[in-house]
Amino acid sequence: MFNKLEMAPPDAILGLTDAFKKDTRAEKINLGVGVYKTAENTTPILGAVKAAERLLLESESTKSYLPIPGAAGYCAAVRELLFGAGHEIIANDRAVTAHTPGGTGALRVASDFLHTLYPEKQIWVSNPTWANHNAIFMAAGLTVQPYPYYDYENTCLDFDGMLTTLKIVPEGDIVLLHGCCHNPSGMDPDLDQWKAIAEVVYERNLLPMFDFAYQGFGDGLEEDAAGLRHFCQPGKELLICSSFSKNFGLYNERCGAFTIVGADADGAQKAYSHMKIAIRTNYSNPPSHGAAVAEAILTTPELRQQWEDELAAMRSRIAEMRQSFVDTLARLGVEQDFSFITRQKGMFSFSGLTKDQVNQLREEFAIYIVGSGRINVAGMTPSNMDRLCTAIKAVL
Ligand code: LMR
């Protein structure tokens, strides 16, 4: 049976990591997958994570199953991070959360939940969006539709195009929004734009679903939640898929969360009962370690401070690399204006490089970039910057 199969294509992002690992050229640079690198080009375990793991090694007493939605303490800590302590949603028990294996696990559970209960609803995603979104939603049986998001020509948000389309989305459909640090463009709405988006979404009775994978990588933990919190209005429903891969550096622990906000506590509990079925039929119950680490950090004041400091250091290193990238290209005499890179947020930017240029960078210079031209700014370092910019100049 299997010999008759056609080979499937490699994954657009993770397939690039495989190819990068096989590349024997010493000077190779990986700006593909969204993984943070220090100036020394390593991805170390955060100090707060190591400290939490030491605590857990002593205190953990069983490896018995977690409940289907994971540990209650972790889920409560996630809700505080999303909404802020004492938020009306928390006070009124309007939100329920499950620990999922990464943000991808959250998206898949959300998709199964939605498709099982509302098979006729479509999900609307930004054009462009994360390379895996469409595949996850379609695998769950959802119909995916695009809304305009990025204006490639003017390197900014296509805000008018976005709103115009959202105004014609059928009532009850789902709209996927990136909470901050839009992947792949790095272009986020400003606060006024978030307000306007929330107005249209709720006016048309759409169900907003946030993919929130980079909290703390844009402007700060609170600042990056500002867009999402515009949607946290009394009586309004929403869904949030969180990832802690990046902001806790817990990539291989698969630590994420799926949160449903109901109109009231009754709606939330009913949704929760269905969420649990979606989890049970996917992976039964989550692995414990990553969430236990995140919970320990979020609820222990010294660890929390250490983590926030480490997160701030990652954020400012990325911002420095954005500026250095633009400055280095200018210093090397590249005339094309790349200043838009400094207006984009988080790990990623759209470089504007074409598929051919991306291929040339890989073949001739051992520089790996996603085919769409998305670059992982967090993979730039002071020591690879000159080589990177020289190569880009050569392919432009
Ligand atoms: C990315 O977009 O590079 C990350 O979210 C990693 C992944 O799983 O694709």
Side-chain angles (χ1 to χ4, degrees), residues 11-14 32-35 104 130-132 183-184 213-214 243 245-246 251 254 347-348 370 374 376:
D11 183 79
I13 296 173
L14 300 184
V33 68
V35 172
T104 304
W130 180 44
N132 206 18
N183 179 4
Y214 298 92
S243 166
S245 295
K246 328 282 171 167
Y251 305 90
R254 310 311 297 135
M347 277 190 166
F348 305 117
V370 178
R374 184 194 84 168
N376 174 19

Side-chain angles (χ1 to χ4, degrees), residues 176-213:
L176 182 78
L177 299 158
H178 297 224
C180 67
C181 308
H182 183 266
N183 179 4
S185 74
M187 196 54 82
D188 289 337
D190 63 28
L191 281 184
D192 287 334
Q193 290 169 329
W194 272 122
K195 276 187 198 163
I197 297 165
E199 239 165 67
V200 173
V201 163
Y202 285 140
E203 222 168 66
R204 296 203 47 75
N205 281 324
L206 309 178
L207 178 62
M209 174 156 118
F210 280 82
D211 185 339
F212 204 27

Side-chain angles (χ1 to χ4, degrees), residues 110-122 141-143 172-174 207 237 239 271 274:
S111 305
D112 284 347
F113 169 89
L114 289 167
H115 183 252
T116 304
L117 298 170
Y118 311 103
E120 76 289 358
K121 304 289 182 212
Q122 310 175 95
L142 290 169
T143 305
D173 271 6
I174 304 121
L207 178 62
E237 298 177 330
L239 310 177
H274 291 277

Side-chain angles (χ1 to χ4, degrees), residues 321-340:
M321 288 302 99
R322 287 187 178 280
Q323 192 59 55
S324 166
F325 181 63
V326 173
D327 293 347
T328 308
L329 286 169
R331 175 166 56 75
L332 292 173
V334 170
E335 277 171 18
Q336 202 171 313
D337 179 19
F338 278 94
S339 60
F340 63 88

